[in-house]
Amino acid sequence: MADNFLERHYEEYEARKAAYLRRKRHLPKLTSRPSRPDDEAL
């Protein structure tokens, strides 16, 4: 086994996680609003 195997993989994981969180912060928030009928009396 290579030395520092777990440390290297953990560092790669942290880098991927940071990139994901950076991208996630810039995504627009999707909110769905219920569609209202044209005539509210219906």
Side-chain angles (χ1 to χ4, degrees), residues 12-30:
E12 291 172 0
Y13 160 75
E14 287 291 327
R16 287 194 313 269
K17 181 179 172 183
Y20 164 76
L21 291 175
R22 231 180 292 119
R23 267 186 273 121
K24 181 182 173 189
R25 233 180 289 147
H26 294 293
L27 293 177
K29 293 183 179 177
L30 300 176

Side-chain angles (χ1 to χ4, degrees), residues 33-42:
R33 295 183 181 176
S35 59
R36 297 174 67 186
D38 293 335
D39 185 9
E40 292 185 10
L42 294 177

Side-chain angles (χ1 to χ4, degrees), residues 1-14:
M1 289 245 104
D3 292 342
N4 301 324
F5 177 80
L6 294 176
E7 290 85 357
R8 184 168 35 91
H9 279 272
Y10 186 72
E11 290 171 0
E12 291 172 0
Y13 160 75
E14 287 291 327

